[in-house]
Amino acid sequence: MISERTERKALNGTRRLLIVLPVAAVLLALCVSLLACTRTDPKPAGPPEKVTIAYAPTNSILAQVAQARGYYLQEGLEATLQLQPYGKLGLKEMLEGKADFAICGETPILFAIMNGEKISIIATIQTSNKDSAIIARRDKGILTPSDLKGRKIGLTSGTVADFFTDAFLAVNGISRKKMNVVVLKADDLPDALANGEVDAIATFSPFVTQAQKKLGNRGITFYGKDIYTQTFDVVATQEYIRRNPGKVRKLLSALINAEKFVGENRVEAQKIVADFNRMDIAMLRDIWAVTSYSITLDQQLLLALE
């Protein structure tokens, strides 16, 4: 939840961002330059270097394709993909030293920076303006955003859905203080809504689709595609990046190869990811339709963080 305490810390957090983001931008520019110079180089000599990447099923499509297609090994990396239910938990694993890289939304990254963590964003690999949503019980009389006022809404604190909720309520003239917020784990939200424990939930993929399927025509979904574009970003500690620039370059090269494959082979890429996660491919296609997959580090990320 975006609290008054967080607001008081915003200035310090912004100062940290002004330091962290330029470092990441310079790093990415350096890596891209190196990639341009070495795309025709032979495969790296010697044994592959080991890296661990914490990821969630739907926030890291390019990372999964790179693993399945062998792009990490081509670059000289032996990558272990460490599955987490959602990005915030992956970031936690990375901060605890259990992973070298994490892929997550920008909101947990921002909170971590504001809490003093010295991390850098290496690249954005996915964006979507329909990944987060509020799903509500139509059968409880919720038909418009204004009907959410005073209702019990479940969400996972410190995630992109937490920020999305604040933005959505503000745009629709609803004070968060007028809501009865229930903090739940992301994977518990669809059942909590279906069982009537809450009147609505604010969540993200794949839990949006799961909740929609559980409710059927009893539910209604509110998106905010004109309110908020969500980014999914690769992050690491600044210390790790300083010590391992070669691994960062190799990781980016593998992800760029995956981006090219996904762009040219959409159907095959969807099957790879569905098999990788043992996910229903129809659900994956719904998510895919509202998501962009490309390696960037641009103004959109800065605006989202601001």
Side-chain angles (χ1 to χ4, degrees):
M1 185 174 74
I2 302 177
S3 63
E4 292 180 6
R5 182 167 174 263
T6 299
E7 290 175 356
R8 288 197 299 270
K9 295 166 69 176
L11 179 58
N12 288 335
T14 302
R15 287 170 179 160
R16 292 191 188 101
L17 283 170
L18 292 174
I19 297 170
V20 172
L21 290 176
V23 170
V26 170
L27 177 63
L28 184 62
L30 214 72
C31 290
V32 171
S33 297
L34 286 170
L35 286 171
C37 295
T38 59
R39 293 300 290 269
T40 58
D41 287 353
K43 292 182 180 180
E49 299 178 282
K50 294 184 178 181
V51 294
T52 302
I53 306 166
Y55 79 105
T58 59
N59 75 358
S60 51
I61 301 304
L62 297 183
Q64 296 168 48
V65 170
Q67 180 78 322
R69 295 281 299 173
Y71 295 145
Y72 296 123
L73 281 174
Q74 288 178 16
E75 297 299 327
L77 292 179
E78 181 183 332
T80 298
L81 268 59
Q82 188 181 93
L83 177 63
Q84 298 295 328
Y86 48 97
K88 180 184 174 182
L89 297 183
L91 179 63
K92 181 174 181 288
E93 291 289 291
M94 188 270 289
L95 292 173
E96 291 177 352
K98 298 174 184 176
D100 302 312
F101 301 95
I103 301 171
C104 65
E106 77 284 337
T107 303
I109 296 169
L110 177 61
F111 281 128
I113 293 171
M114 292 173 68
N115 286 331
E117 299 290 353
K118 296 185 178 181
I119 59 178
S120 284
I121 297 172
I122 297 168
T124 296
I125 63 171
Q126 285 182 213
T127 57
S128 176
N129 61 6
K130 287 187 72 175
D131 187 81
S132 295
I134 293 175
I135 305 98
R137 298 281 301 245
R138 186 191 296 270
D139 57 353
K140 289 195 176 182
I142 302 175
L143 304 176
T144 68
S146 61
D147 295 328
L148 291 167
K149 189 179 297 184
R151 302 296 187 125
K152 186 183 290 187
I153 184 170
L155 55 77
T156 307
S157 63
T159 64
V160 290
D162 193 359
F163 173 75
F164 170 78
T165 301
D166 275 357
F168 184 88
L169 293 176
V171 166
N172 287 282
I174 303 171
S175 169
R176 185 154 178 163
K177 294 178 181 179
K178 299 293 184 181
M179 304 293 295
N180 183 358
V181 176
V182 179
V183 176
L184 297 168
K185 293 180 180 178
D187 40 355
D188 290 336
L189 288 168
D191 283 337
L193 181 61
N195 297 336
E197 297 172 35
V198 293
D199 304 314
I201 60 171
T203 191
F204 41 82
S205 297
F207 308 110
V208 169
T209 308
Q210 290 176 10
Q212 289 170 333
K213 289 189 174 182
K214 285 179 180 292
L215 281 185
N217 58 15
R218 295 177 298 148
I220 185 170
T221 303
F222 301 112
Y223 294 103
K225 65 178 184 177
D226 297 324
I227 298 172
Y228 172 48
T229 296
Q230 180 178 335
T231 70
F232 297 95
D233 310 295
V234 182
V235 294
T237 65
Q238 293 176 19
E239 180 66 19
Y240 184 88
I241 292 169
R242 279 195 295 269
R243 291 187 176 187
N244 299 280
K247 290 182 180 180
V248 175
R249 180 184 61 79
K250 292 174 183 179
L251 177 75
L252 281 170
S253 182
L255 291 173
I256 288 170
N257 288 336
E259 177 190 347
K260 182 179 179 183
F261 178 84
V262 167
E264 296 175 352
N265 305 274
R266 179 175 57 85
V267 174
E268 187 178 351
Q270 288 174 349
K271 187 177 185 307
I272 287 172
V273 175
D275 291 345
F276 200 94
N277 293 294
R278 298 178 181 178
M279 179 186 294
D280 176 61
I281 196 163
M283 179 187 295
L284 178 63
R285 285 171 182 155
D286 289 342
I287 297 167
W288 205 285
V290 296
T291 306
S292 173
Y293 304 104
S294 60
I295 310 300
T296 63
L297 194 63
D298 57 20
Q299 183 70 10
Q300 179 173 281
L301 172 62
L302 184 59
L303 292 173
L305 290 165
E306 287 176 342

